[in-house]
């Protein structure tokens, strides 16, 4: 088996509904199903030629689910065999593994249990992802939007046709891997996957743009050999099984798990189930309903015997990522009384970053944003001046500030403005009655000139236009309060 890993960056919000319901609240999945990547490659079906059968129909190529990336580590669904006290906060509080020591201890009378289990009211940990570095996240960032259907006649929102839509927030990154039986199809699949694509619902609207690129092997968990004849199967993805009559079942036989013999220990196992019908956009119809054991489920097998190497994929629909398992994972080990050995720490979700494409619209929006940011800086600088220095100019009348504003409006540049205000021969703030009675006292003209020299490289003459206007208003408020 050859594993090749890929990183998926969401360039926009992505809608991946958990069901095909078209009414009410539409809840999105917290991962990207492998069928989406299979669909991307299948769009180039004709270009594969003789290799099309091996790629899409033989089971030699399997496209896995993409889970939220935590740096350079692949994440996994929290196993359903983990329990915490009801109301506990994960990952801060103690977590226990549903194991023989834990069951034995919880079977005792409350007053005979160990101190840390005496008041425990266990509840299954059902949400969250973790990685091999001990990082934990409850779920990827999601966004809720309220939408309305459109009336084709009036081209307006249709009455009584509102619905909610939940999506994975753009900017996040996910990791998945593709399994190849040999390297014959690797080059073709990699060439198609690498690049920008659209997945999920509403691809023709505002959703679904992703960028996929090949990466080196991230930090992952691998299967381990059994030590005591007991095999523990962790469902890395959803598992789908059929019985001998061809009907879907939630109770797989030993052979379905790739074992020669053994007995499933249902008391120690923890599984949850789910049914869904995937949508095939090519045929514009649903595919066969999948009745699956949910990812995160754990199946314990006593006296397990393998005929060959540990199988990495079991059950049906493995080409679209179902059936992936990890045997005897080290993250299910526990200490005395079933306490989980792994100490989790909360993963801090980074703020999504986007690389803008250089289009005329993007350039225009960037220009508008830059203008808005500059105005914010200008306003903040004026407010700082009013807060710190306004009282120093309390003797300057509103009419004087009006004259300063008028000259600032007429000036074409800072050089012209400084000449009209501070020229020693005929500058407004240096000569005349106002200059002598107000501006020259306490060197207010020199103080204003020094302040303007400090901001002229950052702002244009508009700064003094707005500053003078605000100072005139401030003077009126000051005189009113004094009276």
């Amino acid at each position: 088996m050859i594993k090749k890993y890929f990183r998926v960056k969401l360039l926009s919000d992505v809608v991946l509904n958990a069901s095909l319901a078209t009414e009410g609240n539409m809840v999105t999945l917290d991962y990207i199903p492998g069928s989406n990547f299979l669909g991307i490659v299948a769009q180039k079906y004709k270009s594969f030629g003789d290799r099309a059968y091996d790629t899409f129909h033989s089971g030699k190529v399997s496209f896995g689910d993409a889970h939220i990336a935590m740096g350079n580590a692949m994440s996994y669904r929290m196993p359903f065999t983990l329990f915490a006290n009801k109301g506990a906060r994960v990952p801060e509080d103690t977590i226990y593994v549903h194991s023989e020591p834990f069951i034995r201890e919880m079977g005792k009378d409350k007053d005979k249990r160990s101190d840390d289990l005496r008041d425990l009211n266990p509840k299954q940990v059902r949400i969250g992802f973790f990685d091999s570095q001990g990082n934990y996240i409850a779920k990827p960032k999601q966004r809720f939007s309220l939408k309305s259907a459109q009336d084709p006649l009036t081209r307006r929102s249709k009455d009584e046709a509102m619905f909610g839509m939940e999506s994975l927030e753009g900017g996040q990154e996910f990791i998945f891997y593709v399994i190849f039986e040999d390297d014959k199809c690797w080059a073709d699949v990699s060439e198609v996957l690498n690049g920008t694509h659209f997945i999920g619902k509403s691809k023709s609207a505002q959703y679904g743009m992703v960028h996929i690129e090949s990466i080196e092997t991230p930090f992952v968990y691998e299967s381990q050999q059994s030590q005591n004849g007991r095999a523990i199967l962790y469902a890395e993805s959803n598992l789908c099984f059929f019985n001998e009559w061809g009907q879907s079942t939630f109770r797989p036989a030993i052979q379905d798990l790739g074992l020669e013999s053994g007995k499933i220990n249902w008391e120690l196992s923890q599984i949850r189930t789910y049914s869904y019908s995937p949508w095939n956009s090519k045929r514009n119809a649903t595919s066969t309903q999948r009745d699956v054991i949910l990812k995160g489920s754990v199946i314990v097998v006593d006296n397990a015997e393998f005929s060959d190497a540990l199988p990495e994929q079991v059950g049906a629909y493995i080409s679209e990522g179902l059936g992936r398992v990890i045997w005897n994972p080290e993250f299910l080990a526990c200490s005395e009384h079933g306490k989980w050995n792994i100490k989790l720490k909360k993963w801090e979700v980074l703020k999504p970053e986007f690389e803008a494409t250089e289009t005329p619209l993007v350039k225009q929006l960037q220009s508008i944003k830059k203008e808005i940011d500059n105005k914010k800086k200008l306003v903040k600088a004026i407010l700082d001046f009013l807060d710190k220095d306004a009282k120093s100019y309390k003797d300057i009348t509103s009419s004087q500030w009006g004259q300063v504003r008028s000259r600032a409006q007429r000036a074409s540049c800072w050089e012209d403005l400084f000449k009209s205000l501070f020229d020693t021969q005929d500058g407004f703030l240096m000569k005349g009655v106002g200059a002598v009675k107000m501006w020259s006292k306490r060197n207010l003209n020199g103080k204003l000139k020094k302040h303007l020299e400090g901001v002229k490289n950052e702002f244009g003459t508009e700064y003094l236009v707005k500053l003078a206007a605000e100072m005139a208003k401030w003077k009126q408020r000051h005189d009113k309060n004094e009276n």
Side-chain angles (χ1 to χ4, degrees):
M1 294 287 184
I2 302 172
K3 294 181 181 179
K4 297 294 184 180
Y5 291 83
F6 296 85
R7 185 181 295 271
V8 185
K9 183 171 184 178
L10 309 189
L11 301 181
S12 68
D13 291 3
V14 175
V15 178
L16 298 163
N17 286 348
S19 69
L20 292 178
T22 56
E23 293 184 2
N25 226 11
M26 287 185 270
V27 179
T28 194
L29 296 171
D30 52 11
Y31 66 95
I32 305 175
S35 56
N36 289 274
F37 309 117
L38 172 61
I40 290 172
V41 179
Q43 292 177 6
K44 304 293 183 180
Y45 183 95
K46 293 182 180 180
S47 66
F48 282 78
D50 296 337
R51 295 181 298 279
Y53 178 80
D54 287 341
T55 305
F56 302 106
H57 308 294
S58 65
K60 293 182 179 180
V61 181
S62 169
F63 298 83
D65 298 339
H67 292 168
I68 187 71
M70 301 185 193
N72 192 32
M74 186 171 180
S75 63
Y76 302 85
R77 173 82 72 188
M78 291 286 282
F80 296 144
T81 193
L82 299 180
F83 286 77
N85 195 23
K86 190 173 183 179
R89 295 172 61 88
V90 178
E92 290 86 355
D93 294 321
T94 305
I95 299 175
Y96 297 89
V97 179
H98 184 76
S99 56
E100 286 179 329
F102 180 74
I103 294 175
R104 185 167 52 250
E105 193 70 16
M106 292 301 295
K108 298 178 182 179
D109 291 337
K110 191 173 182 179
D111 56 347
K112 294 181 179 180
R113 297 178 194 167
S114 61
D115 293 340
D116 53 343
L117 295 177
R118 185 164 294 130
D119 297 321
L120 183 67
N121 184 10
K123 182 179 180 181
Q124 190 179 55
V125 178
R126 295 184 175 181
I127 62 172
F129 292 87
F130 70 104
D131 68 7
S132 58
Q133 309 303 299
N135 297 309
Y136 169 86
I137 185 173
K139 62 180 180 179
K141 295 185 71 174
Q142 297 176 346
R143 195 195 311 273
F144 178 80
S145 301
L146 197 60
K147 301 292 183 179
S148 172
Q150 187 184 60
D151 189 323
L153 298 179
T154 62
R155 300 180 69 180
R156 295 165 58 184
S157 296
K158 191 175 182 179
D159 292 339
E160 300 180 357
M162 301 289 288
F163 60 93
M165 182 175 285
E166 197 174 60
S167 60
L168 294 173
E169 189 173 329
Q172 299 179 99
E173 295 185 347
F174 293 71
I175 293 178
F176 74 99
Y177 64 97
V178 182
I179 295 179
F180 300 86
E181 190 172 294
D182 51 50
D183 59 0
K184 293 180 181 178
C185 306
W186 152 243
D188 295 325
V189 171
S190 177
E191 183 179 357
V192 175
L193 281 178
N194 280 284
T196 301
H197 307 279
F198 290 86
I199 62 174
K201 288 181 67 68
S202 300
K203 294 188 288 289
S204 60
Q206 70 190 78
Y207 296 104
M209 181 182 287
V210 301
H211 181 77
I212 303 175
E213 62 179 358
S214 304
I215 60 172
E216 297 297 324
T217 303
F219 296 110
V220 295
Y221 279 112
E222 300 284 356
S223 294
Q224 308 288 330
Q225 292 293 332
S226 176
Q227 300 294 328
N228 53 7
R230 170 175 287 172
I232 302 176
L233 178 150
Y234 165 78
E236 183 185 343
S237 67
N238 295 333
L239 311 180
C240 185
F241 299 103
F242 293 92
N243 59 24
E244 56 186 313
W245 299 285
Q247 297 175 325
S248 58
T249 178
F250 297 127
R251 293 179 66 91
I254 288 296
Q255 291 71 27
D256 295 331
L257 303 180
L259 303 175
E260 267 194 345
S261 63
K263 183 179 180 181
I264 297 178
N265 188 327
W266 293 108
E267 183 182 11
L268 292 180
S269 302
Q270 290 288 329
I271 70 170
R272 298 185 69 206
T273 61
Y274 173 58
S275 297
Y276 69 99
S277 298
W279 180 261
N280 188 304
S281 58
K282 189 70 175 179
R283 292 188 283 108
N284 198 30
T286 58
S287 298
T288 306
Q289 178 173 298
R290 318 289 202 241
D291 297 316
V292 301
I293 293 175
L294 274 176
K295 62 173 64 187
S297 296
V298 175
I299 299 176
V300 179
V301 182
D302 293 328
N303 303 317
E305 292 186 8
F306 296 89
S307 59
D308 203 348
L310 295 172
E312 297 187 13
Q313 300 177 108
V314 298
Y317 304 115
I318 61 174
S319 62
E320 56 192 70
L322 274 68
R324 297 192 173 181
V325 298
I326 301 177
W327 291 95
N328 309 305
E330 58 184 274
F331 57 75
L332 288 182
C334 60
S335 57
E336 187 182 8
H337 302 149
K339 186 177 293 186
W340 199 28
N341 286 344
I342 295 179
K343 182 63 177 177
L344 297 177
K345 55 183 181 292
K346 187 171 291 186
W347 170 260
E348 295 297 332
V349 181
L350 301 178
K351 186 177 180 180
E353 295 182 358
F354 297 93
E355 296 179 3
T357 306
E358 288 295 326
T359 64
L361 176 59
V362 169
K363 290 180 179 179
Q364 182 183 3
L365 293 175
Q366 288 175 335
S367 176
I368 294 173
K369 182 179 183 301
K370 185 177 180 180
E371 184 179 346
I372 292 173
D373 290 342
N374 289 337
K375 286 184 177 179
K376 287 181 178 179
K377 289 182 180 179
L378 187 146
V379 170
K380 185 178 184 304
I382 292 174
L383 292 176
D384 289 343
F385 181 90
L386 292 174
D387 184 50
K388 298 176 182 178
D389 300 317
K391 290 183 179 179
S392 300
Y393 298 86
K394 62 182 181 179
D395 296 329
I396 307 299
T397 63
S398 297
S399 61
Q400 285 288 305
W401 283 113
Q403 289 293 329
V404 171
R405 181 173 181 270
S406 177
R407 283 164 172 75
Q409 287 177 319
R410 294 197 300 267
S412 59
C413 61
W414 278 108
E415 185 178 349
D416 291 344
L417 180 57
F418 272 78
K419 186 176 181 180
S420 68
L421 294 178
F422 304 109
D423 186 78
T424 56
Q425 299 298 322
D426 57 357
F428 175 72
L429 302 184
M430 307 299 291
K431 296 291 182 179
V433 178
V436 174
K437 289 186 175 181
M438 288 176 275
W439 290 100
S440 295
K441 289 182 178 180
R442 292 181 286 116
N443 192 32
L444 294 180
N445 45 16
K447 187 176 180 181
L448 180 62
K449 182 180 180 181
K450 184 178 179 181
H451 173 73
L452 295 178
E453 286 175 339
V455 300
K456 68 178 183 180
N457 293 330
E458 188 173 6
F459 306 114
T461 55
E462 181 188 7
Y463 174 82
L464 186 56
V465 174
K466 294 185 178 298
L467 177 63
E470 292 301 320
M471 284 301 298
K473 296 175 186 176
W474 180 90
K475 174 61 175 174
Q476 292 174 355
R477 292 195 300 268
H478 177 269
D479 291 347
K480 184 177 180 180
N481 292 335
E482 287 293 317
N483 297 330

